[in-house]
Amino acid sequence: MNNEKGDILVTGGLGFIGSHTVVELQNEGFKVVIIDNLSNSKIEVLESIATITGIKPEFVKLDLKDKKKIQDFFNNRKIEGVIHFAASKAVGESVEQPLKYYENNISTLVYLLQEMEKNNTNNFIFSSSCTVYGQADELPITENAPIKPAESPYGNTKQIGEEIIKDTTKVSNLQAIALRYFNPIGAHESVIIGELPLGVPQNLIPFVTQTAAGIREELSVFGDDYPTPDGTAVRDYIHVVDLAKAHIAALKRLIAGNNKKKMEFFNVGTGKGSSVLEVITAFEKVSDRKLNYKIVGRREGDITSAYADTSLANNELGWKSTLTLEDALLSAWNWQEKQK
Ligand code: WQD
């Protein structure tokens, strides 16, 4: 068993990436406790996780903005490690409501780290993002690529979050790994958990699947005048299950004390870039549906191209993505078809 020394706390564990990570943690024998405020997730996901793994994680409904509640949570508990997903993540919304994002993504991180320090919980995995690189000068992007001024308050909260953690590791027993996600997509093979975007999807894949399902009229492709082979923007789309497994590898590294620095950073992607039109073509192939789309102007703040150099995660974490773009798109479509 992996939990002789304590439970693993997953904040935001009922969310898209969080729930898939809880499943993989339980598959690896970890005992999991989830904190979630249900602001962007559904309580039904808890049963869904139990259906997949046969183990119902402990769940505590709690908003990390409530410092006192976090203190109460940590009292008389042994938490071996924390994987921190709980945060607001909509780029566009963050531009309209910056203070909501700084409060929800930064204050909560500080409160959580303060309680972890008091309780001698020292293993921390942080949900970061390739967004910290902005438009990188060189592709594929390595972890040494310069951190560029953030294009949005959301991206800024990821940059600031990394700095807060790094500063804390310098003066405490905290050791941390920031995983810089590229574009998470897809759903668990069981089709019992997946992405549940609230309202009109901001991200490409949920919009694609909702269009194919007839929920949306047509997909707008944001620009075909980028300096890319087919003119549409390029991203590194990683299957959410591969992404979840990277968290397990990172957590095991810290628990085993195999980390080489108090804070480490790893890009988590496939290493392969796909354009919007390539995604559409691949989706039409796996779903056997013709996708209704039109080309429109660029979206404010979008970058041309981002895909990961994953050699550090491959060599140091012993982790590599195994699922393809088609696997991810098919799983996303299967998940969409199951939604009522
Ligand atoms: C992908 C591509 C769009 C919608 C953001 C955040 C990142 C992470 C993932 C949270 C782009 C194009 C999209 C549409 C389109 N955030 N697109 N029509 O912007 O790469 O990354 O979401 O986890 O941190 O920065 O992802 O899915 O929004 O866009 O043409 O209706 O699809 O222009 O090229 P993005 P995305």
Side-chain angles (χ1 to χ4, degrees):
M1 286 295 276
N2 281 295
N3 68 322
E4 291 92 15
K5 294 191 227 100
D7 297 357
I8 302 301
L9 165 60
V10 180
T11 73
L14 294 183
F16 174 40
I17 305 168
S19 55
H20 286 82
T21 302
V22 170
V23 165
E24 298 309 325
L25 282 166
Q26 293 189 322
N27 290 346
E28 289 290 309
F30 287 100
K31 188 164 171 298
V32 175
V33 51
I34 292 170
I35 280 178
D36 202 304
N37 68 0
L38 298 176
S39 64
N40 190 25
S41 55
K42 292 183 176 158
I43 189 64
E44 289 79 6
V45 173
L46 191 60
E47 278 306 327
S48 301
I49 292 169
T51 304
I52 295 170
T53 64
I55 307 162
K56 187 171 182 178
E58 184 187 356
F59 169 65
V60 176
K61 186 175 185 291
L62 189 159
D63 190 321
L64 292 173
K65 291 194 285 292
D66 188 332
K67 200 177 163 74
K68 176 77 179 63
K69 288 266 173 52
I70 306 174
Q71 290 165 348
D72 296 345
F73 171 84
F74 272 91
N75 287 341
N76 55 63
R77 261 185 202 277
K78 176 72 192 111
I79 299 290
E80 174 65 18
V82 177
I83 304 182
H84 181 46
F85 293 104
S88 300
K89 52 151 268 183
V91 173
E93 183 190 45
S94 78
V95 174
E96 288 147 26
Q97 302 181 56
L99 288 179
K100 170 183 174 182
Y101 273 68
Y102 289 117
E103 181 187 40
N104 199 41
N105 294 9
I106 301 296
S107 311
T108 55
L109 173 64
V110 171
Y111 299 157
L112 181 60
L113 291 172
Q114 285 173 328
E115 289 316 310
M116 285 176 64
E117 193 169 2
K118 279 186 213 153
N119 288 274
N120 198 28
T121 296
N122 298 314
N123 300 313
F124 190 63
I125 309 292
F126 179 62
S127 165
S128 190
S129 169
C130 62
T131 210
V132 301
Y133 300 115
Q135 177 54 67
D137 302 325
E138 286 175 39
L139 294 169
I141 304 172
T142 71
E143 288 80 358
N144 302 320
I147 303 300
K148 296 246 179 106
E151 304 263 346
S152 68
Y154 162 78
N156 207 20
T157 66
K158 292 302 179 185
Q159 291 183 4
I160 296 167
E162 290 187 355
E163 290 298 319
I164 289 170
I165 299 160
K166 191 164 65 176
D167 288 345
T168 308
T169 60
K170 290 174 185 166
V171 292
S172 70
N173 293 327
L174 184 76
Q175 47 179 24
I177 289 177
L179 296 179
R180 291 171 175 166
Y181 309 159
F182 280 69
N183 287 56
I185 65 169
H188 190 264
E189 61 184 357
S190 64
V191 206
I192 296 175
I193 54 175
E195 195 166 4
L196 287 168
L198 296 180
V200 179
Q202 298 306 302
N203 293 127
L204 177 64
I205 304 311
F207 207 107
V208 164
T209 59
Q210 288 191 13
T211 302
I215 298 167
R216 306 290 160 199
E217 190 57 36
E218 77 178 343
L219 170 75
S220 296
V221 174
F222 297 144
D224 68 346
D225 58 348
Y226 284 98
T228 61
D230 65 19
T232 62
V234 171
R235 297 291 185 274
D236 183 334
Y237 296 96
I238 177 168
H239 195 299
V240 65
V241 173
D242 274 337
L243 176 59
K245 290 177 177 173
H247 292 77
I248 314 310
L251 180 69
K252 286 181 171 178
R253 179 179 175 88
L254 291 184
I255 290 177
N258 293 335
N259 48 311
K260 292 175 177 162
K261 284 186 280 185
K262 293 292 294 298
M263 180 161 190
E264 296 178 311
F265 304 85
F266 294 102
N267 288 340
V268 186
T270 66
K272 180 178 175 298
S274 301
S275 73
V276 178
L277 289 179
E278 286 171 331
V279 167
I280 292 171
T281 303
F283 178 79
E284 291 181 329
K285 180 179 152 206
V286 300
S287 65
D288 197 22
R289 297 283 179 110
K290 190 89 191 76
L291 194 74
N292 187 23
Y293 70 90
K294 68 182 173 192
I295 306 288
V296 299
R298 294 183 180 189
R299 178 171 67 176
E300 185 66 29
D302 275 353
I303 58 167
T304 300
S305 181
Y307 52 94
D309 176 324
T310 61
S311 46
L312 200 62
N314 303 155
N315 299 333
E316 291 297 326
L317 293 183
W319 168 90
K320 192 168 175 49
S321 65
T322 59
L323 297 162
T324 65
L325 174 67
E326 287 74 15
D327 294 331
L329 292 170
L330 180 58
S331 68
W333 177 234
N334 291 338
W335 167 251
Q336 181 66 59
E337 287 210 292
K338 248 197 87 181
Q339 304 313 302
K340 34 195 174 305

